[in-house]
Amino acid sequence: MMKLSAWGQMTEPVCWAGILVVLCTLSMGADVQQALKTPSMPSTVLQRHKRDWKWDKLYVYEETPPKTPPEKIGKLENTLFSESTRYNLSGEGAYDIFSVNDNGDILVNAMLDREKKSTYTLSASIINIKNRKMMDKDDTFVIVVLDINDNSPVFPPDLSGSISESSIAGSIVMTVNATDADDPTTQNGMIEYRLLNGTDLFNINNKGEIITLRSDLDREKQSQYLIAIQAKDMPSIRTGNSATTIVTININDINDNIATFKKGKYHFNVKEDSEIGFKIGILEVEDKDETQNKDPTFTIQHQYDDEMFEIKRSNEKDGILSLKVPLDYEKVKTYTFSVNVDEHTVSTKTDNQGPNLLKRAEVSINVIDVDEPPVFSQTEYMFSIYEGPFKNPRIGAVSARDPDSTGFKIRYSIEDPNCPVAVDPVQGHLSLKWQLDREQESSYTFQVTAQEDKPNGLKSYAMVKLKVLDINDNEPELTNGSYVYVCESDKPGTIIGTIGAYDKDENSGRFRFTLAKKSSNFSLHDNQDNTSSIVLKQGGFSTEHSVEHVLEIEIADGGTPEKRSINLLQIKVCKCQPGRRMEYCMAYAQTGMSVSALLAILLCIVTILVIVILIVLRRRYQNDVLVTKSSGEIHEQLVRYDEEGGGEMDTNGYDVSILTSACHDSSFRPGVGPSLYAIVKKPPACKGDMAMMIEVKKDEADHDRDGIPYDTLHIYGYEGSESLAGSLSSLDSSSSGSNLDYDFLNEWGPRFRTLAQLYGVDGSDTDSSY
């Protein structure tokens, strides 16, 4: 038989446990009681179960320091225990916090904390030391950690609550909830509350509820209370742990104060040109409530002034006086009226009553005269006129006046140059400048300017809207023509398509369709709904042997006056699938030419002509330049000679002896490229070839554009110190002193024959020449 015994140091729990054991024992049967009294004696119950563990809870106090030797809290006993057996513990804290010695005493080896762990569940077993076999099944028991009052109550941080002012007594403001880590089932963990101040206004119960004691809390007098609260464990006992905190109680505002004016009279000045909605001034009111709870109502007493002015509330709940209609200094210069302020409150205070409260104020408004711009009789004008040619271009008139007492004349104008309407500058009559077309523009909007007839006069503007009315001036047009085609398989009477009509005019009547030219293959059926059906008269059409089919359809629009048009409808012949689904249609060559194609062809022709003219002009210009240059150069080469000769001793500048030697020198050949006058070349042949050489040189000079201009006198200025011809000067020439034969000059051509005659060897000729 096994027993678990508790030691007597835990007096209070053991006593309670003992009482429970006694009560349980009294309620047991005689056999069980006898077994408890004599555990070592065998009984029929023990024999039947072979063992008898007796488990009770063991108790140990927390926060008890470990002792030496360790403290015993109980003892294990088993009927199978002997010198060859030992007890063994397992479970929570086994051999760490708790242990068992060889005698079965349960020992505590460490200090416990109930707030961390309040119970420990362990298992006890008995084993044979020799073979390490368990003698009996292990069983569990519980060690309960008993609480001591080692924790104080704790408040949550930042406690605050609120309640509306004027709340009835007994209203709950808030609930305070302090906690204690000790066992809540004992006095250690139970908490009681107490107010340390504000007890005339508030109270707190054991639930932590703060309750009002009075119904006259007034936010306007005090909006916040700081209340100290004490929480203590061990209720109804002087000893115990306690904690204190401060709770903030806010008094919420309600609308319990009426609004009143801060002064009895308000005076404002307003210019007469102020716009509608202009803020004239603020009617300040006084209300002790918070802004969100203010609800003043303003009323203007005089009905006439109520039509002129209005009062709205600002964000601060003051009155904003503003204009409802424009002012006119010339009509009314001063406005005086009264304004009342009222407010419905949720409670009645004595402060809200009394004759000294300013619930009515007098308002005075002076209108200030200003130079105002002209005023139109209407802010917007609307006129209409028919499109097309007009008999009377006048469409209406605008009117404006100077509202000031000076009364200047008004001049009218339209500043938009593209506006189709002109205005008479004096009378304001509006008239058309040109014919209108509704299909291009159906309405016009423009501004008319009215200006005072004085230097730098003020201006004002009025909007004019002109609607262009429609007349039946457009011919109807054919629509849906591309959907008309005939299939090879169509039978007579088949509707091969439905056409419609379109008219740009807006009020056209019902369209009527007729054939302008009868057709042997097709007929036209007017459907009386602005459409017409094309009906096949006879079949047998083929895409391989088909000609172009064109219907001339006349359409009348039914307007006034009625407009008619003849439209050509080309009907295609197609191969079709079942259900007249088009598969392939015969394409016909276009017999005419589009306007765009003609324009393209004309543009190409004009371009070619311009190119040809430019080429001809360029060639003509080049020829003129060549002709002008050659004639000038020839004149320079053969005729012009502006240099004065050197006299009798001039034998170095012009040496013509080369003329003689050139006949016998065949090394001269005309070169290719520019001929510089610094390079003197001999003639290619003698005598008669000299003329040819000169012509070659002339041709080279005329056609060589890159050559440098030169005086051709250097070409045939062959004189020099070594010239055989000697000087060309006649001063040093005579028949007697000359030993040269100049007859070869006759062979050079007709231009040198005269020179040959002058210097010939014939004495009679020479003498006769002098």
Side-chain angles (χ1 to χ4, degrees):
M1 179 178 182
M2 175 68 79
K3 293 193 297 184
L4 179 63
S5 302
W7 292 90
Q9 64 169 345
M10 298 166 285
T11 57
E12 183 177 357
V14 171
C15 292
W16 295 345
I19 295 172
L20 293 174
V21 170
V22 171
L23 294 175
C24 293
T25 302
L26 293 175
S27 61
M28 292 179 182
D31 294 338
V32 178
Q33 294 179 18
Q34 183 65 27
L36 291 174
K37 291 178 182 180
T38 57
S40 60
M41 294 177 63
S43 65
T44 57
V45 177
L46 292 176
Q47 291 175 356
R48 185 167 56 250
H49 292 286
K50 295 184 180 181
R51 67 183 176 91
D52 188 5
W53 290 94
K54 179 63 180 178
W55 300 114
D56 289 329
K57 290 183 178 179
L58 299 181
Y59 298 90
V60 59
Y61 277 105
E62 66 173 332
E63 304 297 338
T64 301
K67 298 177 181 180
T68 305
E71 179 183 1
K72 300 177 183 179
I73 61 172
K75 185 177 179 63
L76 294 175
E77 295 180 0
N78 192 290
T79 56
L80 300 178
F81 180 75
S82 65
E83 292 180 357
S84 61
T85 61
R86 291 289 183 271
Y87 292 106
N88 187 30
L89 289 181
S90 62
E92 298 175 337
Y95 296 104
D96 180 14
I97 300 176
F98 307 101
S99 62
V100 62
N101 59 18
D102 294 340
N103 298 323
D105 298 328
I106 299 176
L107 307 177
V108 179
N109 302 321
M111 185 172 63
L112 304 177
D113 187 354
R114 191 202 67 84
E115 285 70 40
K116 293 183 179 179
K117 190 170 181 60
S118 60
T119 60
Y120 294 86
T121 302
L122 295 94
S123 297
S125 61
I126 183 171
I127 61 175
N128 189 303
I129 299 175
K130 296 180 180 180
N131 55 20
R132 308 300 297 177
K133 292 184 178 180
M134 295 182 61
M135 303 298 296
D136 198 357
K137 293 182 179 180
D138 56 350
D139 208 345
T140 61
F141 63 95
V142 177
I143 298 177
V144 179
V145 182
L146 298 177
D147 182 48
I148 64 173
N149 192 14
D150 59 342
N151 291 281
S152 298
V154 178
F155 286 100
D158 302 328
L159 290 174
S160 63
S162 62
I163 189 170
S164 299
E165 60 179 333
S166 301
S167 296
I168 61 174
S171 300
I172 298 176
V173 179
M174 60 179 295
T175 300
V176 178
N177 186 17
T179 58
D180 195 324
D182 292 326
D183 189 356
T185 62
T186 65
Q187 292 284 328
N188 298 333
M190 297 180 181
I191 299 175
E192 65 178 358
Y193 301 94
R194 184 168 66 94
L195 297 183
L196 302 181
N197 69 322
T199 55
D200 58 331
L201 298 174
F202 305 98
N203 188 21
I204 189 169
N205 56 25
N206 290 333
K207 296 180 181 179
E209 297 175 344
I210 300 177
I211 303 172
T212 59
L213 298 178
R214 300 166 55 179
S215 60
D216 58 351
L217 294 176
D218 192 348
R219 187 201 65 86
E220 287 72 36
K221 293 181 179 180
Q222 186 170 349
S223 61
Q224 188 180 80
Y225 295 90
L226 300 178
I227 304 299
I229 301 178
Q230 182 189 65
K232 189 183 77 68
D233 55 17
M234 307 293 289
S236 303
I237 300 176
R238 291 184 179 181
T239 59
N241 299 322
S242 64
T244 304
T245 189
I246 300 298
V247 175
T248 302
I249 298 178
N250 297 309
I251 307 302
N252 296 333
D253 182 56
I254 62 173
N255 187 14
D256 58 347
N257 293 278
I258 65 172
T260 58
F261 288 108
K262 289 186 177 181
K263 55 184 180 179
K265 293 185 178 181
Y266 293 90
H267 181 78
F268 305 105
N269 294 322
V270 185
K271 294 182 179 180
E272 65 171 331
D273 61 347
S274 298
E275 297 180 354
I276 296 176
F278 173 75
K279 185 176 70 175
I280 299 173
I282 297 178
L283 305 178
E284 297 180 344
V285 297
E286 183 177 4
D287 191 337
K288 296 179 182 180
D289 294 325
E290 292 181 347
T291 303
Q292 69 271 14
N293 294 318
K294 296 178 181 180
D295 189 23
T297 302
F298 301 91
T299 305
I300 298 177
Q301 294 301 308
H302 299 83
Q303 181 179 2
Y304 175 76
D305 294 330
D306 188 27
E307 298 174 355
M308 295 290 297
F309 310 99
E310 65 177 349
I311 301 177
K312 297 181 180 179
R313 290 190 303 191
S314 66
N315 294 333
E316 293 76 20
K317 303 302 176 68
D318 293 324
I320 300 177
L321 182 63
S322 58
L323 276 178
K324 291 179 65 176
V325 295
L327 300 176
D328 191 348
Y329 174 82
E330 286 70 27
K331 293 181 178 180
V332 181
K333 298 178 176 58
T334 303
Y335 295 89
T336 302
F337 52 89
S338 298
V339 177
N340 289 351
V341 58
D342 298 314
E343 185 172 10
H344 299 285
T345 59
V346 297
S347 66
T348 303
K349 285 185 177 181
T350 56
D351 297 342
N352 294 339
Q353 301 176 0
N356 297 326
L357 297 178
L358 294 176
K359 295 185 178 181
R360 174 177 293 186
E362 184 178 340
V363 178
S364 177
I365 298 176
N366 291 331
V367 182
I368 300 175
D369 186 26
V370 295
D371 186 9
E372 299 176 274
V375 178
F376 279 94
S377 59
Q378 298 176 220
T379 58
E380 183 176 285
Y381 293 85
M382 298 189 67
F383 301 102
S384 61
I385 191 170
Y386 283 99
E387 63 175 330
F390 48 82
K391 298 179 181 179
N392 183 11
R394 181 173 175 179
I395 60 176
V398 295
S399 176
R401 64 178 182 84
D402 184 6
D404 297 321
S405 57
T406 53
F408 288 105
K409 293 182 179 180
I410 305 299
R411 296 193 64 84
Y412 304 93
S413 63
I414 297 176
E415 299 177 357
D416 185 5
N418 298 322
C419 180
V421 179
V423 61
D424 185 275
V426 178
Q427 302 296 329
H429 295 158
L430 301 176
S431 58
L432 290 178
K433 294 192 294 186
W434 57 74
Q435 177 178 309
L436 302 180
D437 187 353
R438 190 201 64 85
E439 285 71 39
Q440 293 183 357
E441 193 76 29
S442 62
S443 63
Y444 296 87
T445 302
F446 54 91
Q447 279 187 339
V448 177
T449 303
Q451 184 176 12
E452 295 174 340
D453 193 5
K454 68 173 183 177
N456 300 323
L458 297 179
K459 296 180 180 180
S460 62
Y461 304 90
M463 188 68 66
V464 178
K465 293 183 179 180
L466 177 61
K467 181 179 180 181
V468 182
L469 302 178
D470 183 54
I471 62 174
N472 193 25
D473 58 344
N474 290 278
E475 296 179 353
E477 300 175 6
L478 181 69
T479 60
N480 300 329
S482 59
Y483 298 101
V484 179
Y485 59 93
V486 59
C487 296
E488 292 179 331
S489 60
D490 284 343
K491 302 298 181 180
T494 301
I495 298 177
I496 63 173
T498 301
I499 59 174
Y502 167 74
D503 195 330
K504 295 180 180 178
D505 298 319
E506 62 180 2
N507 292 322
S508 59
R510 186 180 65 79
F511 295 106
R512 298 193 306 276
F513 301 86
T514 56
L515 286 178
K517 184 179 180 181
K518 292 185 178 181
S519 172
S520 60
N521 296 318
F522 307 98
S523 63
L524 185 67
H525 176 71
D526 194 334
N527 297 326
Q528 305 296 319
D529 59 353
N530 292 333
T531 62
S532 181
S533 300
I534 308 297
V535 182
L536 183 65
K537 287 185 176 180
Q538 57 184 0
F541 289 89
S542 174
T543 56
E544 296 180 357
H545 305 87
S546 179
V547 296
E548 184 177 11
H549 301 279
V550 178
L551 293 182
E552 295 183 6
I553 300 176
E554 182 181 50
I555 304 176
D557 60 7
T560 305
E562 188 176 63
K563 292 288 184 178
R564 296 174 178 267
S565 65
I566 295 179
N567 301 264
L568 299 181
L569 176 62
Q570 185 181 33
I571 300 178
K572 299 173 290 185
V573 179
C574 305
K575 288 184 177 294
C576 300
Q577 297 179 359
R580 299 194 82 252
R581 288 180 297 173
M582 185 189 304
E583 180 178 358
Y584 164 74
C585 295
M586 181 67 183
Y588 299 100
Q590 295 289 337
T591 57
M593 185 175 296
S594 64
V595 177
S596 59
L598 290 175
L599 291 177
I601 295 174
L602 290 177
L603 182 61
C604 293
I605 294 174
V606 171
T607 304
I608 294 173
L609 289 176
V610 170
I611 293 174
V612 171
I613 291 173
L614 290 176
I615 293 174
V616 171
L617 290 177
R618 180 177 177 81
R619 290 185 177 179
R620 180 177 297 177
Y621 171 76
Q622 290 176 350
N623 293 335
D624 291 343
V625 171
L626 293 176
V627 172
T628 303
K629 181 176 179 181
S630 65
S631 61
E633 289 180 352
I634 292 173
H635 176 74
E636 185 72 15
Q637 294 171 4
L638 301 180
V639 179
R640 186 175 178 179
Y641 183 77
D642 293 336
E643 297 183 12
E644 184 178 354
E648 300 298 331
M649 301 302 296
D650 185 10
T651 60
N652 295 325
Y654 303 97
D655 188 0
V656 296
S657 62
I658 191 67
L659 298 176
T660 304
S661 61
C663 327
H664 309 285
D665 190 355
S666 61
S667 63
F668 178 83
R669 292 293 184 271
V672 180
S675 299
L676 303 178
Y677 58 84
I679 302 177
V680 179
K681 297 183 179 180
K682 296 180 181 181
C686 59
K687 297 183 180 180
D689 293 335
M690 187 63 176
M692 183 183 67
M693 181 271 295
I694 293 175
E695 293 297 332
V696 170
K697 302 304 291 183
K698 286 168 53 182
D699 185 69
E700 289 179 358
D702 291 343
H703 294 85
D704 186 6
R705 296 184 179 182
D706 297 328
I708 302 175
Y710 58 89
D711 190 346
T712 317
L713 288 176
H714 287 270
I715 293 295
Y716 13 163
Y718 293 111
E719 303 100 6
S721 58
E722 298 180 357
S723 175
L724 299 178
S727 175
L728 294 179
S729 174
S730 61
L731 298 177
D732 195 25
S733 301
S734 64
S735 61
S736 59
S738 175
N739 57 357
L740 297 177
D741 184 7
Y742 295 99
D743 291 339
F744 68 90
L745 294 178
N746 292 320
E747 300 178 1
W748 286 8
R751 297 183 181 181
F752 290 90
R753 290 176 184 174
T754 304
L755 184 61
Q757 293 176 1
L758 292 176
Y759 292 94
V761 295
D762 190 358
S764 60
D765 297 338
T766 304
D767 293 338
S768 63
S769 62
Y770 292 100

